Amino acid sequence: MVDGKNIEEQRVLLIDDEELVLRSLSRFLSSENYKVTTALNGTDGLKQMALNPFPVALVDIRMPDMSGLDVLNRMRENFPQTEVIIISGHGDMDDVIEALRRGAYNYLRKPLELDEVKISIERAFGKRAAAQRFREVQDQLYHAQKMESLGTLAGGVAHEFNNLMGGIIGYGEMALQQDSPEFSRKALGISVKAAKRAGEIARNLLRFSQRSESRRQAADLNDALSSTLELLRLDLESEQILVEVELGALPSVFIDVGQIQQVFLNLIVNARQSLENMREGRRRIRMKTWFDGVDACASVSVNGHGISQENLARIFEPFFTTKGVFGGGRSAESTGLGLAVVDGIIRSHNGSIKAASMPGVETSFTLRLPLHDEAKASQQLK
């Protein structure tokens, strides 16, 4: 039994078509303070999972209605955080190896040794606890890095708020001093528009700064990029940086919108920083999205200094910094975690990100994200 776990957390699902095995395992695990649910076949076991997913499941590899491998596949797809322990008989080693390849945590051989069952389940719960701690630390890192990126926007945002508030106050005062109803309506209209813009900025900042649980959904990658760029718009304009955006038609992707916005936030902020020391030529950031027939793709490119091939090979390493992520900007303000976080987020979405650079010409980061299942099915029918 795992110390410190309550009964609800110690829930175990047993799936086996042998009633004797289920009864003996259920009695034993109940005596060890596990809360046990049993199912005589894979179909019933998956129904139990759908009602309330179990942290740990023991699944017999050979069952008449649905094999243990089929059950494992469904669990990996629908309940990826469940640790699955395969129960095998003699002569099943090829299937056991395949189960481990597909993500099973461990396997037990029949006839079952109860002490081995106990140890395997304890270790499965231990693995879950370690994974949860890792996710918590990772979330703290993501949030801290997000706040670092947002901190670089403070000056630009404060400047825009000052401009908006100055306009609201100025037109309000003029409306009070004028006798013309027509002028007053015009002044109030301008003030209301400026106030709405200020509210929009505040909402964007709050949305970006809040720490929330990872929640993935079908979403439009273009919307994630556009909303991030809107938050940065004035900051880029004040730096006289030309922003070029080319948004292609994209199928939906299955993403945590906040995390993907953080990816774009990091890339755009660091692109801006890399242009600070550029003294000649027009400074430019270019963003593009497209569908390559398999994945939804996006790129963020910046002209200027570029990155050497030696540094490019290490660009996603934690704490590794160049002069700005894209090269050429301030290094003292960077923790070296920006691209490591970006890489981690994209990998957690089963996507990929690559960097390319031609020093003195352009540096680009290109990311690819898999489609949402419904969008993928729709594309396959075309």
Side-chain angles (χ1 to χ4, degrees):
M1 182 177 66
V2 179
D3 292 338
K5 293 285 181 181
N6 61 39
I7 295 298
E8 179 63 22
E9 289 176 319
Q10 288 183 297
R11 297 166 55 252
V12 177
L13 175 64
L14 305 179
I15 307 176
D16 197 307
D17 61 334
E18 297 184 45
E19 290 190 41
L20 181 60
V21 172
L22 289 182
R23 283 200 301 269
S24 62
L25 276 179
S26 182
R27 281 196 301 267
F28 171 70
L29 293 175
S30 296
S31 71
E32 293 292 325
N33 293 326
Y34 289 102
K35 186 175 182 180
V36 182
T37 299
T38 62
L40 278 167
N41 55 63
T43 301
D44 287 344
L46 290 172
K47 287 180 180 178
Q48 294 289 344
M49 286 291 297
L51 290 173
N52 189 6
F54 289 77
V56 176
L58 275 68
V59 181
D60 188 20
I61 205 163
R62 292 199 180 277
M63 294 181 290
D65 76 318
M66 181 184 294
S67 74
L69 287 177
D70 291 334
V71 174
L72 173 64
N73 287 341
R74 295 280 293 277
M75 286 190 176
R76 292 271 66 79
E77 180 180 350
N78 298 309
F79 315 103
Q81 294 185 9
T82 296
E83 298 296 342
V84 179
I85 300 170
I86 291 293
I87 300 174
S88 70
H90 293 293
D92 292 337
M93 283 311 296
D94 288 344
D95 287 338
V96 167
I97 292 171
E98 180 62 19
L100 294 173
R101 188 187 70 80
R102 296 186 189 184
Y105 169 66
N106 198 1
Y107 74 96
L108 298 167
R109 294 286 296 272
K110 291 181 178 179
L112 296 171
E113 294 288 341
L114 295 181
D115 285 343
E116 290 183 5
V117 173
K118 175 184 175 181
I119 291 171
S120 186
I121 291 176
E122 285 179 349
R123 289 176 175 172
F125 274 102
K127 180 184 176 184
R128 284 178 54 84
Q132 179 60 33
R133 288 194 294 271
F134 175 78
R135 286 192 293 270
E136 290 171 356
V137 171
Q138 188 178 52
D139 178 66
Q140 291 171 1
L141 171 62
Y142 286 177
H143 185 70
Q145 206 286 322
K146 179 195 295 185
M147 296 309 294
E148 176 190 337
S149 296
L150 282 171
T152 66
L153 306 179
V157 170
H159 179 67
E160 183 162 8
F161 263 110
N162 283 336
N163 286 343
L164 292 170
M165 294 307 297
I168 292 170
I169 294 170
Y171 277 100
E173 289 177 343
M174 284 190 288
L176 290 173
Q177 295 171 3
Q178 297 289 329
D179 293 330
S180 169
E182 182 179 350
F183 178 85
S184 295
R185 282 194 298 269
K186 181 178 179 181
L188 288 173
I190 294 173
S191 296
V192 168
K193 184 177 180 180
K196 287 181 178 179
R197 170 60 183 161
E200 181 183 349
I201 294 170
R203 285 190 296 272
N204 283 342
L205 282 172
L206 286 172
R207 185 171 62 249
F208 271 81
S209 63
Q210 286 174 348
R211 178 183 297 165
S212 59
E213 292 185 7
S214 178
R215 186 172 67 87
R216 298 187 184 182
Q217 59 189 1
D220 188 337
L221 192 63
N222 286 336
D223 288 344
L225 175 57
S226 297
S227 61
T228 308
L229 183 58
E230 180 62 21
L231 184 63
L232 298 159
R233 181 180 60 83
L234 186 79
D235 198 41
L236 296 172
E237 289 178 356
S238 67
E239 298 276 343
Q240 296 185 328
I241 295 172
L242 175 64
V243 178
E244 299 176 350
V245 182
E246 181 182 342
L247 301 180
L250 296 178
S252 62
V253 288
F254 190 60
I255 59 173
D256 181 309
V257 176
Q259 288 188 350
I260 298 303
Q261 287 175 322
Q262 183 177 352
V263 167
F264 288 130
L265 178 69
N266 287 358
L267 293 177
I268 298 170
V269 166
N270 284 287
R272 188 211 69 179
Q273 290 178 343
S274 75
L275 294 171
E276 290 175 345
N277 295 334
M278 184 175 173
R279 298 291 178 247
E280 297 180 358
R282 184 65 188 270
R283 299 184 295 173
R284 185 190 73 248
I285 297 174
R286 185 158 49 93
M287 283 157 277
K288 180 181 178 182
T289 64
W290 69 97
F291 177 55
D292 69 356
V294 178
D295 298 320
C297 308
S299 66
V300 178
S301 306
V302 61
N303 64 331
H305 297 272
I307 306 171
S308 69
Q309 291 301 309
E310 178 183 0
N311 287 336
L312 201 63
R314 302 183 58 196
I315 201 70
F316 294 109
E317 293 179 10
F319 306 109
F320 178 78
T321 62
T322 63
K323 293 181 179 180
V325 170
F326 286 80
R330 294 171 296 187
S331 58
E333 296 183 4
S334 174
T335 61
L337 289 173
L339 278 184
V341 167
V342 165
D343 185 51
I345 290 174
I346 296 300
R347 285 178 182 272
S348 74
H349 283 75
N350 297 318
S352 65
I353 183 166
K354 293 184 178 179
S357 184
M358 186 177 295
V361 180
E362 184 178 75
T363 299
S364 64
F365 285 83
T366 300
L367 62 90
R368 287 177 166 79
L369 291 167
L371 305 186
H372 183 256
D373 287 343
E374 291 183 4
K376 190 182 300 182
S378 176
Q379 291 297 319
Q380 290 172 347
L381 292 174
K382 292 182 178 180

